[in-house]
Amino acid sequence: MASAATCLHATSSIQAQGSKHVFPLQMVSKGFSLDMQLRAKRKNFPASLKLHAVHASSSHSSIADPIEVPSNNNSGDSEKKSTEASLILIRHGESLWNEKNLFTGCVDVPLTKKGVEEAIQAGKRISNIPIDMIYTSSLIRAQMTAMLAISEHRRKKVPIIIHNENEQAQKWSQIYSEETKKQSIPVITAWQLNERMYGELQGLNKQETAELFGKEKVHEWRRSYDVPPPNGESLEMCAERAVAYFRDQIVPQLLAGKNVMIAAHGNSLRSIIMYLDKLTSQEVIDLELSTGIPMLYIFKNGMFVRRGSPIPPSEAGVYAYTRRLALYRQKLDKLDEMFE
Amino acid sequence: MATGAHLHAMGCMQGQMKNHSNGSQNLAGSSQLRMVNESFYTDLRLFRQDNLHFKIWKLSMACMSGSQFLVADPIESSSIRSSCDNHRRNNETALILLRHGESMWNEKNLFTGCVDVPLTQKGANEAIEAGKRICSIPVDMIYTSVLIRAQMTAMLAMAQHRSKKVPIIVHNESEQAQTWSNVYSAKTKKESIPVITAWQLNERMYGELQGLNKQETADQFGKEKVHEWRRSFNIPPPNGESLEMCAQRAVSYFKEQIEPQLSLGKNVMIAAHGNSLRSIIMYLDNLTSQEVINLELSTGIPMLYVFKEGNFIRRGNPTGPSEAGVYAYTKNLALYRQKLDDMPE
């Protein structure tokens, strides 16, 4: 049903290029008012976003679209931008060793109650963003984060962990219904997405380690790019295997139009962001990823456009980042209405 | 310091101990026993499930100089035992069995088997509630299946545990996995609970029924065939496992890997699935194949066994902290609980 065209009047139009500012932008439409904040954390904020007034024939959404689309876009809902895919990155929340202030690395410790809650909240933020595939590390804290988050998703597809460790595991986990397979989201676990391996610091108290090795040495291991702790990985080594995996396994999925979520760890995700945003090694060292707050990228025409952090449904904010996402959300709304 | 507590047994029952080396009589019926003491009142209920053998214990009056609690002791001794807090029965350990709660395919009524589907929000809550029931029972090692719904159940349950020890999943899949997960502090290791994942504890593999709707399957194969696959002991669905086959690999694993830990004095928790746990219970309680078919294990409600001198003694379901119930099942468990009570927050 075509509703009247919605006009969005931009009260200000902003171009952002690598500056450390927060820009509030107010968009007022006939149906509702939106507040959108662009937060540029670091100097190298790569995407320059131009906001246009858009006429959308059947949706009330505001669309911030990096592509310079002419304002009269009435080609309708059927126009599929097939090369666009969403990429969500989620860093897991508090683990039992975070709580105890112990170096964790690749030791497989689970989430605390707080970490569980963070995962659920993260899920609420991404409940309207399509997800076709999930990648996690082989550590339970990332896997639990993914499962708890997706249990909040409106689409109600069921995530299913793929088992490839041997032939029996593969055979035993087979699904015999096409319909069921279509309602599933494959979950692939990969050690390459694990946290940076911390070698001989794993299990040590941060205070003890400083006493044992000296504060400066520890600071160097933690914050340098290429100096590994004894028998451990440097950030560079972590980035090498995480980014290689991302390029070889995940990018092809995005190219095929699959929407992907990656639930992983501080260092493996930073490494991937370094690749997505083309950061220097100095910049990636300074990059801090919030725990439990998902980050959205739009992959389009071979480019990654950072879209910040989706907000939970209860907060005012951008309704959808692109037209495609707005249409997806509408579909979810319709599904809900059907099953009320 | 508390004075000795007197426990007046309002009824005293004698039962026969059942162990693995000999069969014994089947005693049916449920009984209730009330014990009243000076400071508190406890309710002890023994219950059974269809056609199961069960044990009745002789309840002995115990006078403990340093503690006030009820002790149900299977050893045939009605003498008043003088306390020694130091008198620890070293060869007694706790075994907790925990069946995971609702999964996303349970909710959709699909045959799941070994397909690795996660818990629903309800299933996650069931795990948390289960954790509250066992928060005062010692756990030294955890075994789970390789399926996420059992692993999450174990982790969510342990997040409620009072001991503050940290469960750590052991990775043995490759040499790298092993080296990468090394812990370099002996103190930290002592405060860890190893978690071992084993496919042998997986749910019964349901073959060509996996992913099918229960209704569709009945339409496709016929209601009786499906009923036979689901409820017989030794008839597998096409390309799947029968309950017998599931029991074979689950019980072997239990006997070879888990029982030795119990004999070494480790308290163990197993978080697994309906069929793998039933199979283990079949072994623990010496059930016949007919009896195990009728055995239904509640989801998210932990079952406690006490392993002592080679015998498994079923102790029912630990109650939530807010419910009245047995304070502790044995002296060791009571002492453990006291230690937790005395721990600084």
Side-chain angles (χ1 to χ4, degrees):
Chain A
M1 177 142 72
S3 49
T6 311
C7 288
L8 301 165
H9 307 284
T11 47
S12 54
S13 148
I14 299 166
Q15 245 166 10
Q17 257 164 0
S19 40
K20 284 189 189 162
H21 295 303
V22 174
F23 308 95
L25 180 78
Q26 230 146 354
M27 312 221 39
V28 178
S29 78
K30 280 187 182 162
F32 62 105
S33 105
L34 303 166
D35 219 89
M36 183 162 82
Q37 268 167 335
L38 299 170
R39 199 176 292 268
K41 213 174 182 186
R42 299 289 157 193
K43 278 209 151 181
N44 239 40
F45 195 69
S48 140
L49 296 168
K50 263 191 179 148
L51 298 158
H52 303 268
V54 175
H55 285 256
S57 59
S58 61
S59 55
H60 291 281
S61 46
S62 127
I63 297 168
D65 195 322
I67 304 255
E68 309 222 9
V69 176
S71 30
N72 262 18
N73 189 10
N74 0 4
S75 47
D77 307 317
S78 50
E79 181 194 307
K80 282 196 72 148
K81 298 194 181 107
S82 52
T83 54
E84 181 188 306
S86 324
L87 172 64
I88 299 170
L89 307 180
I90 300 187
R91 180 185 184 185
H92 70 78
E94 189 187 67
S95 80
L96 286 170
W97 276 13
N98 292 151
E99 199 186 36
K100 292 190 163 201
N101 227 7
L102 300 174
F103 285 116
T104 313
C106 287
V107 183
D108 202 352
V109 305
L111 300 170
T112 57
K113 289 190 236 185
K114 177 178 173 208
V116 167
E117 200 42 52
E118 287 181 81
I120 294 172
Q121 291 309 314
K124 296 194 166 122
R125 287 169 175 261
I126 55 164
S127 60
N128 290 304
I129 301 177
I131 296 175
D132 300 314
M133 292 198 73
I134 298 175
Y135 288 84
T136 76
S137 71
S138 45
L139 304 173
I140 191 90
R141 56 197 188 268
Q143 295 175 9
M144 280 180 73
T145 295
M147 298 297 137
L148 291 164
I150 204 78
S151 73
E152 298 288 327
H153 205 273
R154 286 174 76 190
R155 184 64 179 78
K156 301 298 168 204
K157 280 192 176 186
V158 178
I160 295 184
I161 296 184
I162 305 281
H163 281 272
N164 276 330
E165 45 274 28
N166 54 52
E167 206 186 310
Q168 176 181 289
Q170 230 167 7
K171 195 167 163 287
W172 276 34
S173 54
Q174 266 187 302
I175 299 172
Y176 286 83
S177 158
E178 281 312 309
E179 169 66 33
T180 301
K181 273 191 223 177
K182 267 189 250 156
Q183 298 295 318
S184 310
I185 301 172
V187 180
I188 299 178
T189 60
W191 67 264
Q192 294 89 332
L193 296 173
N194 276 10
E195 181 51 292
R196 174 179 160 204
M197 204 271 285
Y198 250 65
E200 291 178 20
L201 301 191
Q202 291 185 163
L204 267 54
N205 180 302
K206 285 164 190 177
Q207 184 55 43
E208 297 168 335
T209 320
E211 287 163 12
L212 243 170
F213 297 101
K215 231 176 167 183
E216 275 164 30
K217 203 79 193 113
V218 177
H219 182 83
E220 190 181 39
W221 290 328
R222 294 186 76 188
R223 297 288 170 249
S224 73
Y225 185 63
D226 55 2
V227 183
N231 278 318
E233 284 187 308
S234 61
L235 179 50
E236 181 177 33
M237 292 157 76
C238 171
E240 201 258 308
R241 42 102 169 157
V243 175
Y245 186 84
F246 179 81
R247 273 201 313 244
D248 298 340
Q249 302 293 327
I250 301 181
V251 172
Q253 299 294 338
L254 294 165
L255 283 168
K258 299 273 200 290
N259 300 292
V260 172
M261 171 166 91
I262 306 177
H265 309 263
N267 285 301
S268 49
L269 288 176
R270 263 177 175 190
S271 306
I272 291 172
I273 290 174
M274 183 180 177
Y275 171 74
L276 301 179
D277 289 351
K278 296 191 176 55
L279 305 177
T280 64
S281 53
Q282 189 53 47
E283 287 163 335
V284 77
I285 290 168
D286 292 335
L287 183 63
E288 279 302 323
L289 215 64
S290 304
T291 61
I293 311 272
M295 277 203 63
L296 176 66
Y297 282 78
I298 304 289
F299 179 71
K300 198 181 172 82
N301 297 333
M303 288 194 317
F304 289 97
V305 181
R306 182 198 276 204
R307 291 298 191 158
S309 312
I311 47 179
S314 49
E315 290 174 36
V318 175
Y319 181 77
Y321 296 88
T322 66
R323 186 194 166 108
R324 187 188 67 107
L325 291 177
L327 291 171
Y328 180 79
R329 185 166 171 158
Q330 262 197 311
K331 203 168 70 166
L332 290 174
D333 290 339
K334 286 211 188 88
L335 275 174
D336 275 357
E337 281 166 32
M338 274 167 60
F339 292 106
E340 273 303 296
Chain B
M1 181 104 95
T3 55
H6 291 280
L7 303 165
H8 307 283
M10 312 244 290
C12 179
M13 296 172 307
Q14 230 163 27
Q16 278 172 334
M17 279 264 296
K18 192 167 170 60
N19 62 31
H20 287 278
S21 47
N22 49 18
S24 58
Q25 269 176 350
N26 183 6
L27 294 161
S30 68
S31 32
Q32 212 167 354
L33 181 81
R34 258 198 209 127
M35 309 282 282
V36 177
N37 85 339
E38 281 169 19
S39 33
F40 68 101
Y41 167 87
T42 56
D43 216 85
L44 179 68
R45 269 187 283 246
L46 301 169
F47 53 91
R48 68 165 178 91
Q49 278 174 330
D50 300 330
N51 293 327
L52 284 181
H53 300 292
F54 78 118
K55 299 151 188 89
I56 302 175
W57 299 275
K58 193 172 207 174
L59 296 156
S60 45
M61 299 207 284
C63 257
M64 305 285 166
S65 60
S67 46
Q68 298 170 350
F69 47 84
L70 165 69
V71 175
D73 194 319
I75 301 215
E76 301 217 17
S77 147
S78 52
S79 57
I80 291 172
R81 199 183 304 282
S82 62
S83 148
C84 321
D85 292 322
N86 298 326
H87 173 54
R88 288 200 52 124
R89 296 177 209 127
N90 296 327
N91 52 3
E92 178 194 302
T93 51
L95 171 64
I96 299 170
L97 306 182
L98 181 54
R99 180 185 185 186
H100 69 77
E102 190 188 67
S103 80
M104 291 192 189
W105 276 12
N106 292 150
E107 198 186 31
K108 292 189 165 203
N109 229 5
L110 301 175
F111 285 116
T112 311
C114 287
V115 183
D116 202 350
V117 305
L119 299 171
T120 57
Q121 289 170 355
K122 179 180 174 203
N125 285 327
E126 285 181 83
I128 291 170
E129 289 307 307
K132 293 181 183 158
R133 288 170 174 261
I134 54 164
C135 66
S136 300
I137 300 178
V139 177
D140 299 315
M141 292 197 74
I142 298 173
Y143 288 85
T144 77
S145 70
V146 309
L147 305 172
I148 191 89
R149 56 197 188 266
Q151 295 175 11
M152 279 180 75
T153 295
M155 298 300 142
L156 291 167
M158 288 312 287
Q160 318 301 317
H161 203 273
R162 291 170 73 190
S163 78
K164 301 304 169 201
K165 282 191 174 188
V166 179
I168 297 184
I169 296 184
V170 174
H171 281 272
N172 278 329
E173 51 271 26
S174 66
E175 207 188 306
Q176 175 182 287
Q178 234 168 4
T179 5
W180 277 36
S181 55
N182 271 340
V183 176
Y184 285 82
S185 156
K187 174 167 184 283
T188 301
K189 272 191 226 180
K190 262 190 258 160
E191 287 164 13
S192 310
I193 300 172
V195 180
I196 298 178
T197 60
W199 68 265
Q200 295 89 331
L201 295 173
N202 275 11
E203 181 50 293
R204 173 180 162 202
M205 203 271 284
Y206 249 65
E208 291 180 19
L209 301 191
Q210 291 184 164
L212 267 54
N213 179 301
K214 285 163 190 176
Q215 185 54 46
E216 297 168 335
T217 320
D219 294 339
Q220 210 173 320
F221 297 100
K223 234 175 162 183
E224 274 163 33
K225 204 82 192 106
V226 178
H227 182 83
E228 192 179 47
W229 290 327
R230 294 186 77 188
R231 297 287 168 249
S232 73
F233 186 64
N234 55 5
I235 301 173
N239 277 319
E241 284 186 311
S242 62
L243 179 49
E244 183 177 31
M245 291 157 77
C246 171
Q248 200 270 334
R249 41 101 169 159
V251 175
S252 305
Y253 186 84
F254 179 85
K255 282 199 304 224
E256 288 159 24
Q257 302 291 329
I258 302 179
E259 204 168 332
Q261 297 295 334
L262 292 165
S263 302
L264 286 171
K266 299 274 200 285
N267 299 291
V268 173
M269 173 166 87
I270 306 176
H273 308 262
N275 285 301
S276 48
L277 288 175
R278 265 176 173 187
S279 306
I280 290 171
I281 290 174
M282 183 179 178
Y283 168 70
L284 302 179
D285 288 352
N286 251 328
L287 304 177
T288 65
S289 54
Q290 190 54 42
E291 287 164 335
V292 76
I293 289 169
N294 292 328
L295 182 62
E296 280 301 324
L297 215 65
S298 304
T299 60
I301 313 271
M303 276 201 66
L304 175 65
Y305 283 78
V306 173
F307 178 74
K308 198 185 170 80
E309 286 158 10
N311 298 325
F312 289 98
I313 303 155
R314 183 196 276 207
R315 291 297 189 152
N317 310 104
T319 51
S322 50
E323 294 168 43
V326 174
Y327 180 76
Y329 296 89
T330 67
K331 179 173 174 143
N332 279 351
L333 290 177
L335 289 170
Y336 180 79
R337 183 164 173 158
Q338 260 200 310
K339 204 168 68 168
L340 290 174
D341 290 339
D342 294 338
M343 250 172 36
E345 273 302 304

